[in-house]
Coordinates of all heavy atoms in Angstrom, one line a residue:
C1041 N 0.8 -1.1 0.0 CA 0.0 0.0 0.0 C 0.9 1.2 0.0 O 1.9 1.4 0.7 CB -0.9 0.0 1.2 SG -2.5 0.2 1.1
N1042 N 0.6 2.2 -0.8 CA 1.4 3.4 -0.9 C 0.3 4.6 -0.8 O -0.6 4.6 -1.4 CB 2.2 3.6 -2.1 CG 3.4 2.6 -2.2 OD1 3.9 2.3 -1.1 ND2 3.6 2.0 -3.3
L1043 N 0.8 5.7 -0.2 CA 0.0 7.0 -0.2 C 0.9 7.8 -1.3 O 2.1 8.0 -1.0 CB 0.0 7.6 1.1 CG -0.5 9.1 1.2 CD1 -2.0 9.0 0.8 CD2 -0.3 9.7 2.6
L1044 N 0.2 8.2 -2.3 CA 0.8 9.1 -3.3 C 0.3 10.5 -3.1 O -0.9 10.8 -3.0 CB 0.3 8.5 -4.6 CG 0.8 7.1 -4.9 CD1 0.3 6.8 -6.4 CD2 2.2 6.9 -4.8
S1045 N 1.3 11.5 -3.2 CA 0.9 12.8 -3.0 C 1.4 13.6 -4.3 O 2.7 13.5 -4.6 CB 1.5 13.5 -1.9 OG 1.3 14.9 -1.7
Y1046 N 0.6 14.1 -5.1 CA 1.1 14.9 -6.3 C 0.8 16.4 -6.1 O -0.3 16.7 -5.7 CB 0.3 14.4 -7.6 CG 0.5 13.0 -7.9 CD1 -0.3 12.0 -7.5 CD2 1.4 12.6 -9.0 CE1 0.0 10.6 -7.9 CE2 1.5 11.4 -9.4 CZ 0.9 10.3 -8.9 OH 1.0 9.1 -9.2
V1047 N 1.8 17.1 -6.4 CA 1.7 18.6 -6.3 C 1.7 19.2 -7.7 O 2.2 18.5 -8.6 CB 2.6 19.1 -5.3 CG1 2.4 18.7 -3.9 CG2 4.1 18.9 -5.7
K1048 N 1.6 20.6 -7.8 CA 1.8 21.3 -9.1 C 3.0 20.7 -9.9 O 4.1 20.8 -9.5 CB 1.9 22.7 -8.8 CG 1.9 23.5 -10.1 CD 1.7 24.9 -9.9 CE 1.7 25.8 -11.1 NZ 1.5 27.2 -10.9
G1049 N 2.8 20.3 -11.2 CA 3.9 19.8 -11.9 C 4.1 18.4 -11.9 O 4.6 17.8 -12.9
D1050 N 3.5 17.7 -10.9 CA 3.8 16.1 -10.8 C 2.8 15.5 -11.7 O 1.6 16.0 -12.1 CB 3.4 15.7 -9.5 CG 4.6 16.0 -8.5 OD1 5.7 16.6 -8.9 OD2 4.3 16.0 -7.2
F1051 N 3.2 14.3 -12.3 CA 2.4 13.5 -13.2 C 2.9 12.0 -13.1 O 4.0 11.9 -12.5 CB 2.3 14.0 -14.6 CG 3.7 13.9 -15.2 CD1 4.0 12.9 -16.2 CD2 4.7 15.0 -15.2 CE1 5.3 12.8 -16.7 CE2 6.0 14.8 -15.7 CZ 6.1 13.8 -16.6
L1052 N 2.3 11.2 -13.6 CA 2.7 9.8 -13.9 C 2.6 9.4 -15.3 O 1.4 9.4 -15.8 CB 1.9 8.8 -12.8 CG 2.6 7.4 -12.7 CD1 3.9 7.4 -12.4 CD2 1.7 6.6 -11.9
Y1053 N 3.6 9.0 -16.1 CA 3.5 8.8 -17.4 C 2.7 7.5 -17.6 O 2.5 6.7 -16.7 CB 4.9 8.5 -17.9 CG 5.7 7.4 -17.2 CD1 5.8 6.2 -17.7 CD2 6.5 7.8 -16.0 CE1 6.4 5.2 -16.9 CE2 7.1 6.8 -15.4 CZ 7.1 5.5 -15.9 OH 7.7 4.5 -15.3
K1054 N 2.3 7.3 -18.7 CA 1.5 6.2 -19.3 C 2.3 4.9 -19.1 O 3.4 4.7 -19.6 CB 1.0 6.2 -20.7 CG 0.0 5.3 -21.1 CD -0.3 5.4 -22.6 CE -1.2 6.7 -22.7 NZ -1.7 6.8 -24.1
H1055 N 1.8 3.9 -18.3 CA 2.6 2.7 -18.0 C 1.6 1.6 -17.7 O 0.4 1.8 -17.5 CB 3.5 3.1 -16.9 CG 2.8 3.3 -15.6 ND1 2.1 4.3 -15.3 CD2 2.6 2.4 -14.5 CE1 1.6 4.4 -14.1 NE2 1.9 3.1 -13.6
I1056 N 2.2 0.3 -17.5 CA 1.5 -0.8 -16.9 C 2.3 -1.1 -15.6 O 3.5 -0.7 -15.4 CB 1.3 -2.0 -17.8 CG1 2.8 -2.5 -18.2 CG2 0.4 -1.8 -19.0 CD1 2.8 -3.9 -18.9
D1057 N 1.7 -1.7 -14.7 CA 2.3 -2.0 -13.4 C 3.2 -3.3 -13.3 O 3.9 -3.6 -12.3 CB 1.3 -2.0 -12.3 CG 0.8 -0.7 -12.0 OD1 1.4 0.4 -12.4 OD2 -0.4 -0.5 -11.5
S1058 N 3.0 -4.2 -14.1 CA 3.7 -5.5 -14.1 C 5.1 -5.6 -14.6 O 5.4 -4.6 -15.5 CB 2.7 -6.6 -14.9 OG 3.2 -8.0 -14.6
G1059 N 5.8 -6.5 -14.3 CA 7.2 -6.6 -14.8 C 7.4 -8.0 -15.2 O 6.6 -8.9 -15.4
E1060 N 8.7 -8.4 -15.3 CA 9.3 -9.7 -15.9 C 8.8 -10.8 -14.8 O 8.8 -10.5 -13.6 CB 10.7 -9.6 -16.0 CG 11.2 -8.8 -17.2 CD 12.7 -8.8 -17.3 OE1 13.3 -9.8 -17.1 OE2 13.3 -7.8 -17.9
A1061 N 8.6 -12.0 -15.3 CA 8.2 -13.1 -14.5 C 9.3 -13.3 -13.5 O 10.6 -13.1 -13.8 CB 8.1 -14.3 -15.4
G1062 N 8.9 -13.6 -12.2 CA 9.9 -13.7 -11.2 C 10.3 -12.5 -10.5 O 10.9 -12.6 -9.4
S1063 N 10.0 -11.3 -11.1 CA 10.3 -10.0 -10.3 C 9.3 -9.7 -9.4 O 8.1 -10.2 -9.5 CB 10.6 -9.0 -11.3 OG 9.4 -8.6 -11.9
E1064 N 9.4 -8.8 -8.4 CA 8.5 -8.3 -7.6 C 7.3 -7.6 -8.3 O 6.2 -7.7 -8.0 CB 9.2 -7.3 -6.5 CG 8.2 -6.9 -5.4 CD 7.6 -8.0 -4.5 OE1 8.5 -9.1 -4.4 OE2 6.6 -7.9 -3.9
L1065 N 7.7 -6.9 -9.4 CA 6.7 -6.2 -10.2 C 5.7 -7.2 -11.0 O 4.6 -6.9 -11.2 CB 7.3 -5.2 -11.3 CG 8.0 -4.0 -10.8 CD1 8.6 -3.4 -12.0 CD2 7.1 -3.1 -10.1
A1066 N 6.1 -8.4 -11.2 CA 5.3 -9.4 -11.8 C 4.0 -9.6 -10.9 O 3.0 -10.1 -11.4 CB 5.9 -10.6 -12.1
K1067 N 4.1 -9.4 -9.6 CA 3.0 -9.7 -8.7 C 1.9 -8.6 -8.8 O 0.9 -8.8 -8.3 CB 3.5 -9.8 -7.3 CG 4.4 -10.9 -7.0 CD 4.9 -10.9 -5.6 CE 5.9 -12.1 -5.4 NZ 6.4 -12.2 -4.1
R1068 N 2.3 -7.5 -9.4 CA 1.3 -6.4 -9.7 C 0.4 -6.6 -10.9 O 0.6 -5.9 -11.8 CB 2.1 -5.1 -9.8 CG 2.9 -4.7 -8.5 CD 3.6 -3.3 -8.8 NE 4.2 -2.9 -7.5 CZ 4.7 -1.8 -7.4 NH1 4.8 -0.9 -8.4 NH2 5.4 -1.5 -6.3
Q1069 N -0.4 -7.6 -10.7 CA -1.3 -7.9 -11.8 C -2.6 -7.0 -11.8 O -3.1 -6.6 -12.8 CB -1.7 -9.4 -11.8 CG -0.5 -10.3 -11.9 CD -0.9 -11.8 -11.8 OE1 -1.7 -12.1 -10.9 NE2 -0.1 -12.6 -12.3
Y1070 N -3.1 -6.7 -10.6 CA -4.3 -5.9 -10.4 C -4.0 -4.7 -9.5 O -3.2 -4.9 -8.6 CB -5.5 -6.7 -9.8 CG -6.0 -7.6 -10.8 CD1 -5.6 -8.9 -11.0 CD2 -7.1 -7.2 -11.6 CE1 -6.1 -9.7 -12.0 CE2 -7.7 -8.1 -12.6 CZ -7.1 -9.3 -12.7 OH -7.6 -10.2 -13.7
T1071 N -4.4 -3.5 -9.9 CA -4.2 -2.2 -9.2 C -5.5 -1.8 -8.5 O -6.5 -1.8 -9.3 CB -3.6 -1.3 -10.2 OG1 -2.5 -1.8 -10.8 CG2 -3.3 0.1 -9.5
M1072 N -5.4 -1.3 -7.3 CA -6.6 -0.7 -6.7 C -6.0 0.8 -6.3 O -5.0 0.9 -5.6 CB -7.0 -1.4 -5.5 CG -8.1 -0.8 -4.9 SD -9.0 -1.7 -3.5 CE -7.7 -1.3 -2.2
I1073 N -6.9 1.8 -6.7 CA -6.6 3.1 -6.2 C -7.9 3.7 -5.6 O -9.0 3.4 -6.1 CB -6.1 3.9 -7.5 CG1 -5.9 5.4 -7.2 CG2 -7.3 3.9 -8.6 CD1 -5.2 6.2 -8.2
I1074 N -7.6 4.4 -4.6 CA -8.7 5.1 -3.8 C -8.4 6.6 -3.8 O -7.3 7.0 -3.5 CB -8.7 4.6 -2.3 CG1 -9.1 3.1 -2.3 CG2 -9.8 5.4 -1.6 CD1 -9.1 2.6 -0.9
Q1075 N -9.3 7.4 -4.3 CA -9.2 8.8 -4.5 C -9.4 9.5 -3.0 O -10.5 9.4 -2.5 CB -10.1 9.4 -5.5 CG -10.1 10.8 -5.6 CD -8.8 11.5 -6.1 OE1 -8.1 10.8 -6.7 NE2 -8.4 12.6 -5.5
L1076 N -8.3 10.1 -2.4 CA -8.5 10.7 -1.0 C -8.8 12.1 -1.0 O -9.4 12.6 -0.1 CB -7.2 10.4 -0.3 CG -6.8 8.8 -0.1 CD1 -5.4 8.8 0.6 CD2 -7.8 8.1 0.5
S1077 N -8.3 12.8 -2.1 CA -8.6 14.3 -2.1 C -10.0 14.6 -2.5 O -10.6 14.0 -3.5 CB -7.6 15.0 -2.9 OG -6.3 14.9 -2.5
D1078 N -10.5 15.7 -2.1 CA -11.7 16.3 -2.6 C -11.3 16.9 -3.9 O -10.2 17.5 -4.0 CB -12.3 17.4 -1.7 CG -13.5 17.9 -2.1 OD1 -13.6 18.8 -3.0 OD2 -14.6 17.6 -1.6
P1079 N -12.1 16.8 -5.0 CA -11.7 17.4 -6.3 C -11.5 18.9 -6.2 O -10.9 19.4 -7.1 CB -12.9 17.0 -7.1 CG -14.0 16.5 -6.3 CD -13.4 16.2 -5.1
T1080 N -11.9 19.6 -5.3 CA -11.8 21.0 -5.1 C -10.5 21.4 -4.7 O -10.1 22.5 -4.7 CB -12.9 21.7 -4.3 OG1 -12.8 21.2 -3.0 CG2 -14.2 21.4 -4.8
E1081 N -9.7 20.4 -4.2 CA -8.4 20.6 -3.6 C -7.2 20.7 -4.6 O -6.1 21.0 -4.3 CB -8.1 19.6 -2.5 CG -9.0 19.5 -1.4 CD -8.8 18.4 -0.3 OE1 -8.0 17.4 -0.8 OE2 -9.3 18.5 0.7
Y1082 N -7.5 20.3 -5.9 CA -6.5 20.4 -6.9 C -7.1 20.5 -8.3 O -8.2 20.3 -8.5 CB -5.6 19.1 -6.9 CG -6.4 17.7 -7.2 CD1 -6.3 17.3 -8.5 CD2 -7.3 17.2 -6.3 CE1 -7.0 16.1 -8.9 CE2 -8.0 16.0 -6.7 CZ -7.7 15.5 -8.0 OH -8.4 14.4 -8.3
E1083 N -6.2 20.9 -9.3 CA -6.6 21.1 -10.6 C -5.7 20.2 -11.5 O -4.6 19.9 -11.1 CB -6.6 22.5 -11.1 CG -7.6 23.4 -10.4 CD -7.5 24.8 -10.8 OE1 -6.9 25.1 -11.8 OE2 -8.0 25.7 -10.1
G1084 N -6.2 19.6 -12.6 CA -5.5 18.8 -13.4 C -5.5 17.3 -12.7 O -6.5 17.0 -12.0
G1085 N -4.5 16.5 -12.8 CA -4.4 15.2 -12.1 C -5.3 14.2 -12.5 O -5.7 13.3 -11.6
T1086 N -5.9 14.2 -13.7 CA -7.0 13.2 -14.0 C -6.2 11.9 -14.1 O -5.2 11.8 -14.6 CB -7.7 13.6 -15.3 OG1 -8.3 14.8 -15.2 CG2 -8.7 12.4 -15.7
F1087 N -6.8 10.8 -13.5 CA -6.4 9.4 -13.6 C -7.0 8.8 -14.8 O -8.3 8.8 -14.9 CB -6.7 8.7 -12.3 CG -6.1 7.3 -12.2 CD1 -4.7 7.2 -11.9 CD2 -6.7 6.2 -12.7 CE1 -4.1 6.0 -11.7 CE2 -6.1 5.0 -12.7 CZ -4.8 4.8 -12.2
V1088 N -6.2 8.3 -15.8 CA -6.7 7.8 -17.0 C -6.3 6.4 -17.1 O -5.1 6.0 -17.0 CB -6.1 8.7 -18.2 CG1 -6.6 8.2 -19.5 CG2 -6.4 10.1 -18.1
I1089 N -7.4 5.6 -17.5 CA -7.1 4.1 -17.7 C -7.4 3.9 -19.2 O -8.7 4.0 -19.5 CB -7.9 3.1 -16.8 CG1 -7.6 3.5 -15.3 CG2 -7.6 1.8 -17.0 CD1 -8.6 2.7 -14.3
G1090 N -6.5 3.6 -20.0 CA -6.8 3.5 -21.5 C -7.4 4.8 -21.9 O -6.7 5.8 -21.8
D1091 N -8.5 4.9 -22.5 CA -9.2 6.1 -22.9 C -10.2 6.6 -21.9 O -11.0 7.5 -22.3 CB -9.9 5.8 -24.3 CG -9.0 5.5 -25.3 OD1 -7.9 6.0 -25.3 OD2 -9.3 4.6 -26.2
Y1092 N -10.3 6.0 -20.6 CA -11.3 6.4 -19.8 C -10.7 7.3 -18.7 O -9.7 6.9 -18.0 CB -11.9 5.1 -19.1 CG -13.0 5.5 -18.1 CD1 -14.2 5.9 -18.4 CD2 -12.7 5.3 -16.8 CE1 -15.2 6.1 -17.5 CE2 -13.7 5.6 -15.8 CZ -14.9 6.0 -16.2 OH -15.9 6.2 -15.2
N1093 N -11.3 8.5 -18.4 CA -10.9 9.3 -17.3 C -11.7 9.0 -16.1 O -13.0 9.1 -16.1 CB -11.3 10.8 -17.7 CG -10.4 11.3 -18.8 OD1 -9.5 10.7 -19.2 ND2 -10.8 12.4 -19.4
L1094 N -11.1 8.6 -15.0 CA -11.8 8.1 -13.8 C -12.3 9.4 -13.1 O -11.6 10.5 -13.1 CB -10.7 7.5 -12.9 CG -11.1 6.5 -11.8 CD1 -11.7 5.4 -12.5 CD2 -10.0 6.1 -11.0
P1095 N -13.5 9.4 -12.7 CA -14.2 10.5 -11.9 C -13.2 10.9 -10.7 O -12.6 10.0 -10.1 CB -15.4 10.1 -11.3 CG -15.8 8.8 -12.3 CD -14.4 8.3 -12.6
K1096 N -13.1 12.2 -10.3 CA -12.3 12.7 -9.3 C -13.1 12.6 -7.8 O -12.6 13.2 -7.0 CB -11.8 14.1 -9.5 CG -11.0 14.2 -10.7 CD -10.6 15.7 -10.9 CE -9.5 15.8 -12.1 NZ -9.2 17.1 -12.2
T1097 N -14.1 11.9 -7.8 CA -14.9 11.9 -6.6 C -14.1 11.3 -5.4 O -13.5 10.2 -5.5 CB -16.1 10.9 -6.8 OG1 -16.8 11.2 -8.0 CG2 -17.1 10.9 -5.6
Q1098 N -14.1 12.1 -4.3 CA -13.4 11.7 -3.0 C -14.0 10.4 -2.5 O -15.2 10.2 -2.5 CB -13.5 12.7 -2.0 CG -12.6 12.5 -0.7 CD -12.7 13.6 0.1 OE1 -13.6 14.5 0.3 NE2 -11.7 13.9 1.0
G1099 N -13.1 9.4 -2.3 CA -13.4 8.1 -1.8 C -13.8 7.0 -2.9 O -13.9 6.0 -2.6
L1100 N -13.6 7.5 -4.1 CA -13.8 6.6 -5.2 C -12.8 5.5 -5.2 O -11.6 5.8 -5.0 CB -13.8 7.2 -6.6 CG -13.9 6.3 -7.8 CD1 -15.5 6.1 -8.1 CD2 -13.2 7.0 -9.0
C1101 N -13.1 4.3 -5.3 CA -12.2 3.1 -5.3 C -12.4 2.4 -6.7 O -13.6 2.1 -7.1 CB -12.6 2.1 -4.2 SG -11.5 0.6 -4.1
C1102 N -11.2 2.0 -7.3 CA -11.3 1.5 -8.6 C -10.3 0.4 -8.6 O -9.0 0.5 -8.1 CB -10.8 2.5 -9.7 SG -10.7 1.8 -11.4
L1103 N -10.7 -0.8 -9.0 CA -9.8 -2.0 -9.1 C -9.8 -2.3 -10.6 O -10.9 -2.5 -11.3 CB -10.4 -3.1 -8.3 CG -9.5 -4.5 -8.4 CD1 -8.3 -4.4 -7.8 CD2 -10.5 -5.6 -7.7
F1104 N -8.7 -2.4 -11.2 CA -8.4 -2.8 -12.6 C -7.2 -3.6 -12.8 O -6.4 -3.7 -12.0 CB -8.5 -1.5 -13.4 CG -7.3 -0.5 -13.2 CD1 -6.2 -0.6 -14.1 CD2 -7.2 0.2 -12.0 CE1 -5.2 0.2 -13.8 CE2 -6.1 1.0 -11.9 CZ -5.0 1.1 -12.7
N1105 N -7.1 -4.1 -14.1 CA -6.0 -4.9 -14.5 C -4.8 -4.0 -14.8 O -4.6 -3.8 -16.0 CB -6.3 -5.9 -15.5 CG -5.2 -6.9 -15.9 OD1 -4.1 -6.7 -15.5 ND2 -5.6 -8.1 -16.4
G1106 N -4.2 -3.6 -13.9 CA -3.0 -2.7 -14.0 C -1.8 -3.4 -14.6 O -0.8 -2.7 -15.2
G1107 N -1.8 -4.7 -14.6 CA -0.7 -5.4 -15.3 C -0.8 -5.5 -16.9 O 0.1 -5.8 -17.5
T1108 N -1.9 -5.1 -17.5 CA -2.2 -5.1 -18.9 C -2.7 -3.8 -19.4 O -2.6 -3.4 -20.4 CB -3.0 -6.3 -19.3 OG1 -4.3 -6.0 -18.8 CG2 -2.4 -7.6 -19.0
Q1109 N -3.4 -3.0 -18.5 CA -4.1 -1.9 -19.0 C -3.1 -0.7 -18.7 O -2.8 -0.3 -17.6 CB -5.4 -1.6 -18.2 CG -6.5 -2.7 -18.7 CD -7.7 -2.5 -18.0 OE1 -7.7 -2.5 -16.7 NE2 -8.8 -2.2 -18.7
E1110 N -2.9 0.2 -19.7 CA -2.0 1.3 -19.6 C -2.8 2.4 -18.8 O -4.0 2.5 -19.0 CB -1.6 1.9 -21.0 CG -0.5 1.2 -21.7 CD 0.0 1.8 -22.8 OE1 -0.8 2.6 -23.5 OE2 1.1 1.7 -23.2
H1111 N -2.2 3.0 -17.9 CA -2.8 4.1 -17.1 C -1.8 5.3 -16.8 O -0.6 5.0 -16.9 CB -3.5 3.5 -15.9 CG -2.5 2.7 -15.1 ND1 -2.1 1.4 -15.4 CD2 -1.8 2.9 -13.8 CE1 -1.3 0.9 -14.5 NE2 -1.1 1.9 -13.6
Q1112 N -2.4 6.4 -16.4 CA -1.5 7.5 -16.1 C -2.2 8.5 -15.3 O -3.4 8.5 -15.1 CB -1.2 8.2 -17.4 CG -2.3 8.9 -18.2 CD -1.8 9.5 -19.5 OE1 -0.6 9.4 -19.9 NE2 -2.7 10.1 -20.2
V1113 N -1.5 9.4 -14.6 CA -2.0 10.6 -14.0 C -1.5 11.8 -14.8 O -0.3 12.1 -14.9 CB -1.5 10.6 -12.6 CG1 -2.1 12.0 -11.8 CG2 -1.9 9.4 -11.7
E1114 N -2.5 12.6 -15.3 CA -2.1 13.8 -16.0 C -1.5 14.9 -15.0 O -1.7 14.8 -13.8 CB -3.4 14.3 -16.7 CG -3.9 13.3 -17.8 CD -5.0 13.9 -18.5 OE1 -5.8 14.7 -18.0 OE2 -5.3 13.3 -19.6
P1115 N -0.7 15.8 -15.5 CA -0.1 16.8 -14.7 C -1.0 17.6 -13.8 O -2.2 18.0 -14.2 CB 0.6 17.7 -15.7 CG 0.8 17.0 -16.9 CD -0.4 16.0 -17.0
I1116 N -0.7 17.8 -12.5 CA -1.2 18.7 -11.6 C -1.0 20.0 -11.9 O 0.2 20.4 -12.2 CB -0.7 18.3 -10.2 CG1 -1.0 16.9 -9.7 CG2 -1.5 19.2 -9.1 CD1 -2.4 16.3 -9.6
T1117 N -2.0 21.0 -12.1 CA -1.9 22.4 -12.5 C -2.0 23.2 -11.2 O -1.5 24.3 -11.2 CB -2.7 22.7 -13.5 OG1 -4.2 22.5 -13.1 CG2 -2.4 21.9 -14.9
D1118 N -2.6 22.8 -10.1 CA -2.7 23.4 -8.9 C -3.2 22.6 -7.8 O -3.9 21.6 -8.1 CB -3.6 24.7 -9.1 CG -3.5 25.7 -7.9 OD1 -2.5 25.9 -7.5 OD2 -4.5 26.1 -7.5
G1119 N -2.7 22.8 -6.6 CA -3.1 22.2 -5.5 C -2.4 20.8 -5.2 O -1.3 20.6 -5.7
T1120 N -3.0 20.0 -4.4 CA -2.4 18.6 -4.1 C -3.5 17.5 -4.2 O -4.5 17.6 -3.8 CB -1.9 18.6 -2.5 OG1 -1.0 19.6 -2.4 CG2 -1.2 17.3 -2.2
R1121 N -3.1 16.5 -4.9 CA -3.8 15.3 -5.2 C -3.3 14.2 -4.3 O -2.1 13.8 -4.4 CB -3.9 14.9 -6.6 CG -4.6 13.7 -7.0 CD -4.3 13.3 -8.5 NE -5.1 12.2 -9.0 CZ -4.8 10.8 -8.6 NH1 -3.6 10.6 -8.0 NH2 -5.5 9.9 -9.1
L1122 N -4.0 13.6 -3.5 CA -3.8 12.4 -2.6 C -4.5 11.2 -3.1 O -5.7 11.3 -3.3 CB -4.0 12.8 -1.1 CG -3.3 13.8 -0.6 CD1 -3.7 14.0 1.0 CD2 -1.8 13.6 -0.5
S1123 N -3.9 10.1 -3.2 CA -4.6 8.8 -3.4 C -3.8 7.7 -2.7 O -2.5 7.8 -2.4 CB -4.8 8.6 -4.8 OG -3.3 8.5 -5.4
M1124 N -4.5 6.6 -2.5 CA -3.8 5.4 -2.1 C -3.9 4.3 -3.1 O -4.8 4.2 -3.8 CB -4.7 4.8 -0.8 CG -3.9 3.7 0.0 SD -4.8 2.4 0.7 CE -5.6 1.6 -0.7
I1125 N -2.8 3.6 -3.1 CA -2.6 2.6 -4.2 C -2.1 1.3 -3.7 O -1.2 1.4 -2.8 CB -1.7 3.2 -5.5 CG1 -1.9 2.2 -6.6 CG2 -0.3 3.4 -5.0 CD1 -1.4 2.8 -7.9
T1126 N -2.5 0.2 -4.1 CA -2.1 -1.1 -3.8 C -2.1 -2.0 -5.0 O -2.9 -1.8 -5.8 CB -2.6 -1.6 -2.6 OG1 -1.9 -2.7 -1.9 CG2 -4.1 -2.1 -2.7
W1127 N -1.5 -3.2 -4.8 CA -1.5 -4.1 -6.0 C -1.8 -5.5 -5.4 O -1.6 -5.9 -4.3 CB -0.2 -4.2 -6.7 CG 0.3 -2.9 -7.2 CD1 -0.1 -2.3 -8.5 CD2 1.0 -1.9 -6.5 NE1 0.4 -1.0 -8.5 CE2 1.1 -0.7 -7.4 CE3 1.5 -1.7 -5.3 CZ2 1.8 0.5 -7.0 CZ3 2.2 -0.5 -4.9 CH2 2.4 0.5 -5.8
F1128 N -2.3 -6.4 -6.4 CA -2.8 -7.7 -6.0 C -2.4 -8.7 -7.1 O -2.4 -8.3 -8.3 CB -4.3 -7.9 -5.9 CG -4.9 -7.0 -4.8 CD1 -5.4 -5.8 -5.2 CD2 -4.9 -7.4 -3.5 CE1 -5.9 -4.9 -4.2 CE2 -5.5 -6.5 -2.6 CZ -6.0 -5.4 -2.9
E1129 N -2.1 -9.9 -6.7 CA -1.8 -11.0 -7.7 C -3.2 -11.5 -8.0 O -4.2 -11.4 -7.1 CB -1.0 -12.0 -7.1 CG 0.5 -11.6 -7.0 CD 1.3 -12.8 -6.4 OE1 1.6 -13.6 -7.2 OE2 1.7 -12.7 -5.2
Q1130 N -3.6 -12.2 -9.1 CA -4.9 -12.7 -9.4 C -5.3 -13.7 -8.4 O -6.5 -13.6 -8.1 CB -4.8 -13.4 -10.8 CG -6.2 -13.9 -11.2 CD -6.3 -14.2 -12.6 OE1 -5.5 -13.8 -13.4 NE2 -7.5 -14.9 -13.0
E1131 N -4.5 -14.5 -7.8 CA -5.0 -15.4 -6.9 C -5.4 -14.7 -5.6 O -6.2 -15.3 -4.8 CB -3.9 -16.6 -6.5 CG -2.6 -16.1 -6.1 CD -1.7 -15.9 -7.2 OE1 -2.0 -15.9 -8.4 OE2 -0.4 -15.8 -7.0
D1132 N -4.9 -13.6 -5.3 CA -5.4 -12.8 -4.1 C -6.9 -12.4 -4.3 O -7.5 -12.1 -3.2 CB -4.6 -11.5 -4.0 CG -3.2 -11.8 -3.6 OD1 -2.9 -12.9 -3.0 OD2 -2.3 -10.9 -3.9
L1133 N -7.4 -12.3 -5.5 CA -8.8 -11.9 -5.7 C -9.8 -13.0 -5.9 O -10.9 -12.8 -6.2 CB -8.7 -11.0 -7.0 CG -7.8 -9.7 -6.8 CD1 -7.9 -9.0 -8.1 CD2 -8.3 -8.9 -5.6
L1134 N -9.4 -14.3 -5.9 CA -10.2 -15.4 -6.1 C -11.1 -15.7 -4.8 O -10.5 -15.6 -3.7 CB -9.5 -16.6 -6.5 CG -8.7 -16.6 -7.9 CD1 -8.0 -17.8 -8.1 CD2 -9.8 -16.2 -9.0
I1135 N -12.3 -16.0 -4.9 CA -13.1 -16.4 -3.8 C -13.5 -17.9 -3.8 O -13.6 -18.5 -4.8 CB -14.5 -15.6 -4.0 CG1 -14.2 -14.1 -3.8 CG2 -15.5 -15.9 -2.8 CD1 -15.5 -13.2 -4.0

């Protein structure tokens, strides 16, 4: 679990979260992000999965296949954007 704080000028380039087999990154098959900031606390900073812009609603939780789906955070133009992020292996999500 990580707490991410983005301030003016910060962004996260388009990427996937998984890595080579056997590496620690290979365990990052699914990504969960929780939006902690109120959308009035920052400008810019849209979280984009593929072609979809995630709503900036405070408390929004999104679980997606970060190991295959490209995603990014667009540049922050003002304020501070806080979110929590964690990763899961597929077997962690089986019931």
Side-chain angles (χ1 to χ4, degrees):
C1041 232
N1042 289 320
L1043 175 64
L1044 302 178
S1045 176
Y1046 293 87
V1047 296
K1048 187 175 181 177
D1050 288 347
F1051 67 96
L1052 186 60
Y1053 58 92
K1054 190 180 290 186
H1055 68 284
I1056 60 170
D1057 291 335
S1058 192
E1060 292 183 29
S1063 74
E1064 190 62 29
L1065 287 177
K1067 296 178 181 180
R1068 293 182 176 186
Q1069 295 169 335
Y1070 287 87
T1071 303
M1072 184 177 73
I1073 183 167
I1074 300 173
Q1075 177 62 31
L1076 300 177
S1077 297
D1078 185 283
T1080 63
E1081 296 174 344
Y1082 67 98
E1083 293 178 15
T1086 301
F1087 189 84
V1088 181
I1089 302 171
D1091 294 329
Y1092 180 75
N1093 293 344
L1094 206 64
K1096 294 182 178 182
T1097 308
Q1098 187 175 28
L1100 179 82
C1101 179
C1102 178
L1103 177 67
F1104 65 100
N1105 189 333
T1108 61
Q1109 293 178 301
E1110 287 189 330
H1111 52 284
Q1112 66 183 2
V1113 176
E1114 294 178 340
I1116 303 293
T1117 56
D1118 193 38
T1120 302
R1121 177 190 184 274
L1122 297 174
S1123 60
M1124 191 213 64
I1125 189 167
T1126 193
W1127 301 272
F1128 300 96
E1129 293 181 75
Q1130 183 161 346
E1131 56 267 13
D1132 294 334
L1133 301 175
L1134 298 178
I1135 296 176

